[in-house]
Amino acid sequence: GQQVMQIPQYQHVQEGEDFTTYCNSSTTLSNIQWYKQRPGGHPVFLIQLVKSGEVKKQKRLTFQFGEAKKNSSLHITATQTTDVGTYFCAVPGSNDYKLSFGAGTTVTVRA
Amino acid sequence: DGGITQSPKYLFRKEGQNVTLSCEQNLNHDAMYWYRQDPGQGLRLIYYSQIVNDFQKGDIAEGYSVSREKKESFPLTVTSAQKNPTAFYLCASKGGDEQYFGPGTRLTVT
């Protein structure tokens, strides 16, 4: 199935600062999803992007799908301690039922 | 209260024993999944089922088996053939485009 590379693997952020995590594919994607997993928890769906160049916002989170539909980014503004966790991107696998997850970006926040 | 339940939360087994992990959903979803998560890695697909009485191997099916006799239930058996069974196991179901995950079972085999 398709594979995606997520960078960085770890992100240490000062509370109040912004950061961005990226998801890159070597092939064109039909869509991309983002999930968040809190420490000790399970992944929770955040959003799906479908259109080229699409930008969606959820409060302090901004998700973008690249023009070529080969990459995506998640930008968090004014990071808070509630943002701690691992953020995964997921892309369609070899059929409509399968998802291929990136390795995730684990975010820690310094108060 | 709809959702996915997995039990137990923690499971300990001796090497050489088979163990079955439970996954139940009341979301009326047709498709269900089992993933394995190891530190520093993403979720890797073990098995998935599109519908009752049908299932397919995922990317790392060796040493695992599943059944799907009921829509609500998708148990995973970790057999003694699985070389590195210690991991966090997540069950999920698919509603629309997104996947809904259970709380997970952390299996430790010594």
Side-chain angles (χ1 to χ4, degrees):
Chain A
Q2 300 195 52
Q3 295 193 351
V4 285
M5 182 76 70
Q6 270 192 268
I7 52 172
Q9 186 176 1
Y10 298 99
Q11 183 82 52
H12 308 289
V13 188
Q14 180 72 41
E15 190 173 16
E17 290 184 343
D18 302 352
F19 77 90
T20 304
T21 177
Y22 301 88
C23 189
N24 299 314
S25 169
S26 58
T27 58
T28 303
L29 305 168
S30 59
N31 64 75
I32 191 164
Q33 296 181 1
W34 286 90
Y35 290 77
K36 177 183 178 180
Q37 183 176 22
R38 295 183 185 274
H42 57 276
V44 174
F45 174 83
L46 293 176
I47 210 157
Q48 176 170 277
L49 305 172
V50 178
K51 300 176 183 176
S52 168
E54 187 172 17
V55 177
K56 287 188 176 180
K57 293 191 175 184
Q58 291 180 351
K59 297 182 180 178
R60 295 178 295 100
L61 277 61
T62 301
F63 302 84
Q64 186 164 3
F65 205 4
E67 293 289 343
K69 299 182 75 174
K70 288 186 175 183
N71 56 70
S72 179
S73 64
L74 160 58
H75 181 80
I76 299 183
T77 304
T79 304
Q80 298 178 0
T81 54
T82 53
D83 296 321
V84 164
T86 301
Y87 294 83
F88 295 100
C89 62
V91 300
S94 55
N95 61 47
D96 289 343
Y97 287 89
K98 295 174 72 174
L99 281 179
S100 180
F101 285 81
T105 294
T106 298
V107 176
T108 55
V109 178
R110 298 189 300 271
Chain B
D1 192 20
I4 300 178
T5 57
Q6 291 185 245
S7 60
K9 188 171 183 179
Y10 298 96
L11 192 53
F12 299 88
R13 280 293 183 271
K14 294 289 187 186
E15 199 173 312
Q17 294 178 336
N18 291 356
V19 58
T20 297
L21 281 58
S22 166
C23 177
E24 303 281 329
Q25 56 104 355
N26 60 5
L27 300 169
N28 200 34
H29 291 164
D30 286 316
M32 295 186 73
Y33 305 79
W34 274 104
Y35 293 92
R36 170 183 173 136
Q37 187 173 32
D38 296 283
Q41 299 193 37
L43 283 65
R44 292 186 290 167
L45 183 63
I46 304 172
Y47 268 97
Y48 68 105
S49 168
Q50 297 178 21
I51 201 165
V52 175
N53 293 321
D54 181 65
F55 50 83
Q56 286 84 37
K57 293 181 179 179
D59 301 318
I60 55 165
E62 186 175 349
Y64 300 98
S65 66
V66 293
S67 63
R68 186 83 189 277
E69 297 176 0
K70 298 187 300 182
K71 188 175 187 177
E72 302 80 16
S73 179
F74 190 40
L76 172 74
T77 297
V78 184
T79 75
S80 57
Q82 168 50 231
K83 298 275 188 279
N84 296 297
T86 295
F88 187 47
Y89 290 89
L90 286 157
C91 178
S93 68
K94 185 173 183 288
D97 293 320
E98 69 182 88
Q99 293 194 8
Y100 297 77
F101 287 84
T105 292
R106 194 166 296 277
L107 173 65
T108 302
V109 177
T110 56

